[in-house]
Amino acid sequence: MKKILLLSDTHSHIDGTILKYVAQADEVWHAGDIGDLAVTDAIKKIKPLRAVYGNIDDAQARLEFPLHNRFLCEGVSVWITHIGGYPGKYNPAIRSELVQNPPKLLICGHSHILKVQFDKKHNLLHMNPGAAGKSGFHQVRTMLRFVIEGDAIKDLEIIEIEKRV
């Protein structure tokens, strides 16, 4: 069993509230637009991190993290990418791979809109944790927390950090 904290779009922001939730997880997954690598460095000091770079991330972040991160967690195949789209509106850059080799869990960031949706066509769960940072149009900073046990994804929680000022 693994307790996962999923965040995205920190845009160089990390604070005590985020780190409190990091400490409660077994692993942290970041779906891109990290901004300053001080964010991921702070997370890695506390828990294991899996991440991808996003469209705002610089060459240093792109050297440290991949564009796509595919892996197996327990019995769940996972694909994290920053600009992936949504069920029915996937990014053309990932569509063929999605058809040929769909994961059980597809994680995207970029939109700053928290959304969890089952894609019946590709038989996968799509998650976007919204934005944990303070930059962007979102009104509430959000993250997701869930458990992977065997091949089950369960106990999904939305974490609302705070309204943006």
Side-chain angles (χ1 to χ4, degrees):
M1 179 180 89
K2 291 232 189 225
K3 292 183 264 180
I4 308 300
L5 177 67
L6 174 60
L7 65 155
S8 186
D9 296 275
T10 47
H11 291 262
S12 302
H13 180 79
I14 189 84
D15 60 30
T17 302
I18 293 171
L19 293 174
K20 174 185 85 170
Y21 287 101
V22 166
Q24 295 170 8
D26 294 322
E27 286 185 11
V28 178
W29 300 351
H30 195 303
D33 277 4
I34 297 159
D36 191 321
L37 288 181
V39 169
T40 50
D41 290 346
I43 293 168
K44 288 190 291 188
K45 284 179 184 173
I46 303 171
K47 294 293 174 160
L49 172 70
R50 298 179 191 260
V52 296
Y53 70 80
N55 57 295
I56 68 136
D57 292 316
D58 63 12
Q60 190 179 0
R62 291 167 192 241
L63 286 173
E64 186 167 345
F65 300 107
L67 175 61
H68 303 284
N69 195 344
R70 292 198 75 156
F71 56 92
L72 195 64
C73 180
E74 299 265 319
V76 175
S77 59
V78 180
W79 182 357
I80 304 175
T81 192
H82 184 61
I83 303 176
Y86 291 99
K89 296 179 182 176
Y90 289 116
N91 181 343
I94 71 164
R95 278 190 204 140
S96 64
E97 176 73 14
L98 202 54
V99 169
Q100 292 171 1
N101 187 19
K104 182 167 184 167
L105 176 58
L106 176 63
I107 295 169
C108 305
H110 187 62
S111 71
H112 293 220
I113 300 168
L114 185 146
K115 190 175 211 178
V116 177
Q117 181 178 354
F118 187 76
D119 179 347
K120 291 178 187 174
K121 180 177 179 181
H122 295 97
N123 194 34
L124 62 84
L125 184 61
H126 175 277
M127 289 186 185
N128 185 320
K134 293 188 173 186
S135 297
F137 66 87
H138 56 284
Q139 297 300 306
V140 178
R141 297 171 49 221
T142 57
M143 302 183 293
L144 291 172
R145 180 163 62 175
F146 56 95
V147 170
I148 294 182
E149 187 169 8
D151 65 353
I153 304 163
K154 61 186 196 176
D155 301 333
L156 177 66
E157 291 178 74
I158 295 169
I159 298 167
E160 291 187 347
I161 301 170
E162 67 183 4
K163 288 202 174 209
R164 283 192 42 235
V165 197

